[in-house]
Amino acid sequence: MKIAIGADHAGYVFKNAIIELLETREIEVIDFGTRNLDSVDYPVYAFKVAECVRDHEADFGILICGTGVGMAIAANKVKGIRAGVCQSIFAAKAIREHNNANIICLGSRTNTLDEVIEFVTIFLDSEFSHGERHQKRIDLITDYEEGIK
Ligand code: RB5
């Protein structure tokens, strides 16, 4: 498995800890930065990670900012991306099982590092539950995105 990861200054410290977790699990990581605590603009990193996932250069993406929300808003502008904000254990599982999220967006100001590490672990260990109702809803989003309806 290959994972693309990115963060702004608010997510930088969490990003490094998540990379350690991924490397412990022998997952290949593509790190798009940021690489220090200087203030940066989160959409820059969201687009880099989202385009990498869109182009199938990574299986999943992980984005971290203050809340996860800015990253999700930006990443979801990229065609084919389903980026879900995760601030709870329930959401970590549901965004994979129900929404088939290909990017998880996390917040360093909304959750502790331990919680975020747990969310990433649950996200990676969960699978899309190919149920008819979930697929239908994702197809509605894809059709809208494709401009069919
Ligand atoms: C940066 O201060 C903060 O606005 C950003 O990390 C994020 O929370 C945006 O959604």
Side-chain angles (χ1 to χ4, degrees), residues 26-93:
E26 296 184 351
I27 292 171
E28 200 178 327
V29 179
I30 309 170
D31 181 3
F32 285 97
T34 184
R35 305 203 184 280
N36 57 51
L37 291 169
D38 294 348
S39 182
V40 291
D41 301 321
Y42 61 81
V44 172
Y45 303 90
F47 296 145
K48 284 181 186 172
V49 167
E51 288 175 0
C52 182
V53 173
R54 175 200 63 193
D55 296 341
H56 306 291
E57 286 161 13
D59 301 293
F60 294 103
I62 299 175
L63 287 166
I64 315 105
C65 62
T67 59
V69 175
M71 287 294 198
I73 291 171
N76 279 314
K77 300 294 179 194
V78 176
K79 199 170 177 185
I81 292 305
R82 293 177 299 277
V85 177
C86 178
Q87 297 181 351
S88 67
I89 287 174
F90 182 84
K93 203 168 159 67

Side-chain angles (χ1 to χ4, degrees), residues 49-139:
V49 167
E51 288 175 0
C52 182
V53 173
R54 175 200 63 193
D55 296 341
H56 306 291
E57 286 161 13
D59 301 293
F60 294 103
I62 299 175
L63 287 166
I64 315 105
C65 62
T67 59
V69 175
M71 287 294 198
I73 291 171
N76 279 314
K77 300 294 179 194
V78 176
K79 199 170 177 185
I81 292 305
R82 293 177 299 277
V85 177
C86 178
Q87 297 181 351
S88 67
I89 287 174
F90 182 84
K93 203 168 159 67
I95 63 173
R96 280 296 299 127
E97 291 185 348
H98 292 206
N99 311 119
N100 201 10
N102 46 19
I103 297 184
I104 182 170
C105 299
L106 303 155
S108 65
R109 294 171 182 163
T110 52
N111 292 98
T112 65
L113 178 57
D114 284 350
E115 286 172 335
V116 162
I117 292 288
E118 191 176 6
F119 301 160
V120 171
T121 303
I122 291 168
F123 179 80
L124 295 177
D125 292 341
S126 301
E127 286 185 13
F128 179 51
S129 46
H130 292 269
E132 202 182 317
R133 73 184 196 284
H134 298 310
Q135 190 58 57
K136 179 186 168 212
R137 291 160 188 166
I138 290 166
D139 289 345

